[in-house]
Amino acid sequence: MKPTPAGWPRLSSAVFYDSAAEAIPWLCKAFGFEVQLRVDGDDGSVVHSQLTYGEALIMVSEGGEGSARSASASRCAAPRAWAAPTRRA
């Protein structure tokens, strides 16, 4: 595998939430992400944000029911909490 170009994150992804304004602090507290950039819309929605974790970068914005993105983009369910299956003895 080729090395990552200088200045580029090793991971770059986007996630959409019904309320990114609520999800961003939760992601920071739960997983240790840091807010690098946040752009709020006139209505208080998060138009774009960038969260970092080490060399990783994720973009978080609104994508739920009634958002501008949901009308123009393909439908995407908001991420849900999940737990790894437990092993049975």
Side-chain angles (χ1 to χ4, degrees):
M1 177 163 53
K2 294 181 181 179
T4 306
W8 285 51
R10 292 190 177 273
L11 169 73
S12 179
S13 186
V15 292
F16 304 99
Y17 285 90
D18 292 339
S19 175
E22 292 178 14
I24 290 169
W26 179 79
L27 290 165
C28 293
K29 184 177 179 181
F31 299 106
F33 283 97
E34 295 180 4
V35 177
Q36 181 182 56
L37 172 71
R38 178 174 166 160
V39 180
D40 292 330
D42 293 336
D43 62 355
S45 66
V46 178
V47 177
H48 177 74
S49 71
Q50 295 177 357
L51 308 182
T52 58
Y53 182 83
E55 295 182 24
L57 170 84
I58 63 168
M59 295 167 277
V60 179
S61 64
E62 308 281 325
E65 198 69 37
S67 72
R69 183 175 301 282
S70 70
S72 63
S74 62
R75 298 297 296 156
C76 176
R80 303 284 187 246
W82 62 275
T86 56
R87 294 179 69 178
R88 294 185 181 184

